[in-house]
Amino acid sequence: MLATFLGLLLALPATVHPAPVQQPAVPALVPQPVSLSRYKEPDFELKASTRILVPPKDAGALQAAGALVSWLVPSTGMVLGTEEGTERVKGSILFTREKADPSLGSEGYVLEVNTDSVLIRAGGDAGLYYAAQTLRQLFPPEIFARTPQKDVEWKAPALFIRDQPRFPWRGWMLDVSRHFFTKDEVKRCIDQLAAHKINTFHWHIVDDHGWRIAIAKYPRLTEIGAWRSATGFGLDPADSTTYDKDGRYGGFYTQEEVREVVSYAAARHITVVPEIEMPGHSIAALAAHPEFSCTGGPFDRDVPAGVHAGIYCPGNEATFEFLENVLTEIFELFPSTFIHLGGDEVPREEWKKCAKCRARMANEQLADVEQLQSWFLKRVERFVNAKGRRVIGWDEILEGGLAPNAAVMSWRGTSGGLAAASAGHDVVMSPNAELYLDHYQARSGEPKAIGGYSPIDEVYLYEPIPEGLAADKQRHVLGAQGNLWSEYIPNARQVEYMTWPRECAIAERTWSPRDTRDLTNFLARMEVHSRRLEWMGVNYRPMAPAALDTLLQWTAAGTSLQLSFRPPFAGAQVRYTLDGSEPTMDSARGDGPTPLPSGPVWIKARVFRSNSRESFRTEALALPGPMLVSASHTRGLERAFDGDENTSAVSNASLVAGDYLRLQLAGARALSSLEILSGDAEQAADFPQAAVVEISPDGVNFQTLAEVSGERIAVDLSGRTITALRVRITRSQDRWWRIREVRLK
Ligand code: ACM
Ligand code: ZN
């Protein structure tokens, strides 16, 4: 079989993929604005005499101007004066609403920098603020420093920018239940988000492991529900700091603190969307109030990560009275239109056993517990709608029938978002494979994470409009967000490490026009932007290169393959080995075309940063053919291509959503079929239980071709022209993947 496969590919003509390293767009803005043109005139220079001018009696402009002044003080030492003014004069930065273009919306703006002055024009407060954020990025990265910087010329290039966001929901979620982060730590996150024009902070404020918001009517929620015995999740207790005097782990926000965070966010044009989980993920609430469960408890907050049977009893009227009372206090604290009600991962077995729940189902003529969950949410939705708010929930709320006005947050892949948007519901996309920020950022060398693998390039390449969504339904995609679940995030430094720079990619994909997607250009701009993060003191993860197979440049010449590497960012050095050893700074440099020996060969590469000791490792298997194969944490990949069904490659860990097997050809080819045999006699379950086959005409942009699972995956490729294929796991599973044979024809 291998011979047939190789024979086919060997007959292909040579293909060359020139991939010039793009220079960073100048200036390197993140997110990329809609349009930018440079003027041929000298830079604008910030001076202590520079005046900020705002229209009279314009609170929004004054707030944006105040923000700009406050950002400039620490690094430049200059405290710029703000005055009322409507005319653009020499040495000024003018904020104006005059002649603002209504088609730019409330968040759009125009920014014009000339040698003598700066003009910021926007109709909305947010637009004025975002223009100021963009202006800040036009100065040298040192402008973000928190201490005075000497010998820096505070100059911004002369240019014209017209800008507005692609999506109204540009989000980030923080789970403060699994680990607790203080009010001040959350405010610091908000500043970082605002610098990237993120406008929605989804505060996952209650879950099994802790109830973190004081509710006046039910003080036990925080007296009991906010505390557990230990840090948990197998982490070192020393990595966490939020213990009470008795050594219990936890914490909560007073209502005063919540108000402070909400108004701090509002001043930065960020809406805080609270999530009050129901009916599942409710152990912390039920530990305090077991009377609202089916079983009566008791409930233990020290449970491991996962899905637990601590769920509310919808058979009991008192449950709804409780939830409505809680929500009434939530409405008081959070002005956001959307209130997130969770709805994910509800183990509904309890309801089947509960007499009250069975009676409810009989009375309401509900056929099954799925319908009972749907009834539960619809009932709470009526209450939320009556108060003028809207419900959003995880995509499980589609099961058993979606509440009429509810919006859906699509996390189990994109199918929930596609279904809901197609039916006319608003959706926010946060598919776990691409946008879960608790996933690993590299395949090795990273701090303990929950699993998964979502490197920055995959985050960046994610397109929020699901494939197959009709054009007239696309407006229902409100946007996308990165979700940071905190089981393995014991402290605020780790929050930053997991969030940045991946949230930069989300900011860009939700703000910038679809057709600006260009990974190489983004990574180049991120080299500059990383320095901004550095000066801000953000504990960001240093930039990782794209997957090795996207760094490789191919030259297929007859039976052999020549390779060279494209440095993933300015100043990066790629070193590689072909003998299985770990690459070091002394290994061969991957900058010239190097012929590969024939036969399967492992290419191991390491990307070194010139300015630090950080390095990133990646590997792939080159097959004569020629084809490059890579797979998440898999050993013995060559055995999946040896024509022997009795030998196999093994994933070496249970599969998590986002894991993949990727096959990249040296050039686009018409292909007829893909077949993958998995498992074996003893390990029959070692196959993908939920995956998609994705194909790419260009090796960069992938589209889903089929949902697949099982011991034999067979996909008809119908002669499509393909450069790369990927089998991507869409749901985490307990089992490994034993790949016996892969056949591509
Ligand atoms: C989720 O990740 N359970 C929404
Ligand atoms: Zn019940």
Side-chain angles (χ1 to χ4, degrees):
M1 198 52 72
L2 183 68
T4 325
F5 160 59
L6 293 180
L8 172 98
L9 288 171
L10 287 178
L12 304 174
T15 318
V16 182
H17 282 246
V21 175
Q22 259 173 284
Q23 293 307 310
V26 178
L29 298 171
V30 177
Q32 179 90 304
V34 172
S35 75
L36 182 159
S37 31
R38 293 290 299 271
Y39 291 144
K40 283 203 181 75
E41 59 181 278
D43 296 344
F44 170 82
E45 184 167 5
L46 204 60
K47 302 202 180 96
S49 59
T50 305
R51 286 287 159 271
I52 303 201
L53 303 178
V54 295
K57 300 194 186 61
D58 186 330
L62 203 55
Q63 192 173 51
L68 180 61
V69 170
S70 72
W71 300 331
L72 300 176
V73 174
S75 54
T76 71
M78 296 186 256
V79 186
L80 302 190
T82 304
E83 297 161 12
E84 286 186 356
T86 52
E87 297 299 318
R88 194 169 176 181
V89 295
K90 205 170 154 149
S92 72
I93 299 173
L94 173 68
F95 285 79
T96 182
R97 315 252 186 189
E98 263 175 55
K99 302 200 202 95
D101 179 350
S103 73
L104 286 175
S106 62
E107 297 185 308
Y109 64 90
V110 160
L111 169 63
E112 186 175 36
V113 179
N114 294 102
T115 307
D116 286 343
S117 63
V118 174
L119 172 78
I120 285 173
R121 191 194 301 282
D125 293 354
L128 295 173
Y129 180 81
Y130 290 142
Q133 288 283 16
T134 301
L135 177 61
R136 185 189 192 190
Q137 288 194 11
L138 293 177
F139 292 106
E142 289 86 347
I143 201 97
F144 286 85
R146 294 159 300 159
T147 52
Q149 300 303 305
K150 301 269 176 276
D151 307 323
V152 182
E153 291 191 319
W154 302 113
K155 288 182 172 176
L159 49 64
F160 180 87
I161 289 175
R162 185 187 152 90
D163 200 12
Q164 71 190 115
R166 181 176 172 208
F167 290 107
W169 185 302
R170 306 181 299 277
W172 181 69
M173 187 209 82
L174 180 64
D175 167 11
V176 298
S177 174
R178 275 52 177 265
H179 283 98
F180 178 67
F181 310 102
T182 65
K183 170 202 73 176
D184 290 326
E185 289 168 344
V186 171
K187 285 164 70 175
R188 188 175 147 86
C189 294
I190 285 169
D191 278 321
Q192 295 164 4
L193 296 169
H196 295 83
K197 305 186 176 81
I198 294 290
N199 69 350
T200 307
F201 169 42
H202 169 179
W203 208 354
H204 186 83
I205 205 162
V206 306
D207 206 300
D208 291 323
H209 301 87
W211 180 285
R212 309 251 173 253
I213 181 166
I215 299 295
K217 202 161 189 134
Y218 302 102
R220 284 173 62 84
L221 284 172
T222 41
E223 283 164 17
I224 308 274
W227 304 98
R228 59 181 191 254
S229 74
T231 316
F233 309 102
L235 298 179
D236 182 346
D239 286 341
S240 292
T241 53
T242 52
Y243 299 96
D244 72 0
K245 61 181 179 358
D246 302 322
R248 293 186 306 172
Y249 178 82
F252 64 92
Y253 311 101
T254 65
Q255 295 202 348
E256 211 40 58
E257 288 176 321
V258 168
R259 283 201 179 87
E260 185 181 327
V261 169
V262 168
S263 79
Y264 191 87
R268 287 151 185 79
H269 299 281
I270 291 177
T271 301
V272 184
V273 175
E275 180 179 352
I276 303 297
E277 274 260 18
M278 62 188 76
H281 284 288
S282 298
I283 285 178
L286 294 173
H289 290 283
E291 65 272 26
F292 305 129
S293 70
C294 293
T295 60
F299 294 93
D300 176 10
R301 277 93 65 228
D302 287 296
V303 289
V307 177
H308 304 286
I311 68 175
Y312 291 113
C313 175
N316 183 356
E317 274 305 296
T319 301
F320 293 98
E321 191 187 324
F322 165 77
L323 291 172
E324 289 175 7
N325 286 335
V326 168
L327 287 173
T328 298
E329 295 192 28
I330 294 296
F331 298 147
E332 281 291 311
L333 295 168
F334 297 92
S336 74
T337 303
F338 280 105
I339 304 292
H340 202 304
L341 298 185
D344 60 317
E345 301 181 320
V346 184
R348 296 180 275 248
E349 288 307 304
E350 305 257 305
W351 292 347
K352 293 183 187 162
K353 293 182 256 165
C354 170
K356 285 183 193 162
C357 285
R358 285 206 305 271
R360 175 75 77 191
M361 287 168 65
N363 287 342
E364 301 291 337
Q365 298 177 335
L366 304 170
D368 51 33
V369 287
E370 283 70 35
Q371 287 191 11
L372 180 57
Q373 182 171 342
S374 168
W375 176 87
F376 184 117
L377 188 81
K378 284 175 185 158
R379 176 164 170 168
V380 180
E381 189 194 37
R382 278 197 301 279
F383 178 77
V384 173
N385 288 168
K387 306 291 180 211
R389 308 300 184 93
R390 290 185 62 194
V391 164
I392 187 166
W394 301 110
D395 56 49
E396 285 94 332
I397 67 173
L398 285 157
E399 294 162 10
L402 187 55
N405 305 311
V408 169
M409 196 166 266
S410 191
W411 74 279
R412 296 176 302 175
T414 57
S415 55
L418 176 61
S422 298
H425 289 270
D426 288 340
V427 302
V428 173
M429 304 304 292
S430 59
N432 54 358
E434 293 92 351
L435 300 190
Y436 267 31
L437 302 176
D438 54 342
H439 286 177
Y440 282 104
Q441 307 190 60
R443 297 204 194 111
S444 60
E446 289 297 294
K448 172 79 182 152
I450 201 158
Y453 175 56
S454 306
I456 188 164
D457 50 323
E458 293 203 9
V459 176
Y460 177 79
L461 291 172
Y462 174 69
E463 163 52 40
I465 302 283
E467 194 72 38
L469 181 62
D472 66 331
K473 296 291 193 284
Q474 296 188 358
R475 70 193 154 84
H476 289 298
V477 179
L478 301 181
Q481 70 177 35
N483 288 344
L484 187 56
W485 302 98
S486 64
E487 283 91 340
Y488 294 93
I489 317 287
N491 54 54
R493 278 189 67 71
Q494 191 63 9
V495 169
E496 294 182 1
Y497 186 86
M498 299 304 273
T499 300
W500 307 106
R502 289 184 293 187
E503 187 70 17
C504 301
I506 295 170
E508 176 137 333
R509 304 298 298 122
T510 52
W511 179 282
S512 308
R514 181 176 187 151
D515 64 9
T516 60
R517 184 168 77 169
D518 178 338
L519 180 62
T520 310
N521 177 289
F522 172 69
L523 293 175
R525 275 183 289 118
M526 283 303 299
E527 265 304 286
V528 177
H529 193 70
S530 297
R531 287 163 52 206
R532 298 189 187 115
L533 297 174
E534 193 104 37
W535 284 112
M536 285 168 89
V538 175
N539 183 35
Y540 71 102
R541 183 187 185 278
M543 287 295 299
L548 178 138
D549 36 12
T550 66
L551 303 181
L552 267 177
Q553 300 179 70
W554 291 86
T555 315
T559 58
S560 79
L561 185 67
Q562 298 194 102
L563 71 86
S564 60
F565 290 92
R566 166 173 56 202
F569 46 81
Q573 272 188 31
V574 186
R575 303 275 177 166
Y576 73 96
T577 64
L578 302 176
D579 62 0
S581 64
E582 283 305 315
T584 67
M585 272 303 275
D586 299 327
S587 302
R589 274 185 82 131
D591 46 11
T594 305
L596 284 178
S598 59
V601 56
W602 275 104
I603 307 166
K604 294 193 178 178
R606 215 175 240 286
V607 181
F608 293 91
R609 291 167 64 98
S610 52
N611 57 349
S612 81
R613 289 194 308 274
E614 297 291 344
S615 66
F616 305 96
R617 180 181 172 283
T618 177
E619 63 184 37
L621 176 68
L623 293 172
M627 181 166 73
L628 195 71
V629 186
S630 55
S632 314
H633 50 78
T634 297
R635 294 241 177 104
L637 212 38
E638 64 278 11
R639 294 196 286 273
F641 295 88
D642 62 359
D644 182 351
E645 293 181 12
N646 297 314
T647 63
S648 51
V650 184
S651 71
N652 224 30
S654 52
L655 296 182
V656 293
D659 279 352
Y660 66 87
L661 168 70
R662 178 180 160 126
L663 314 175
Q664 173 136 359
L665 308 180
R669 300 267 61 95
L671 294 173
S672 60
S673 67
L674 170 70
E675 184 184 29
I676 302 175
L677 302 179
S678 305
D680 67 17
E682 287 88 49
Q683 307 287 342
D686 282 351
F687 53 76
Q689 289 166 359
V692 285
V693 171
E694 298 167 317
I695 56 172
S696 172
D698 56 6
V700 178
N701 301 293
F702 282 83
Q703 68 197 63
T704 302
L705 187 66
E707 294 191 8
V708 294
S709 62
E711 275 180 279
R712 178 167 178 270
I713 290 170
V715 178
D716 181 4
L717 300 173
S718 307
R720 281 169 213 264
T721 301
I722 291 170
T723 296
L725 291 98
R726 187 162 66 184
V727 179
R728 189 165 53 78
I729 304 302
T730 51
R731 193 177 67 224
S732 301
Q733 61 185 61
D734 292 341
R735 305 302 305 233
W736 295 19
W737 188 2
R738 182 176 291 272
I739 313 171
R740 286 158 51 207
E741 212 51 34
V742 177
R743 293 168 186 147
L744 186 62
K745 285 190 215 151

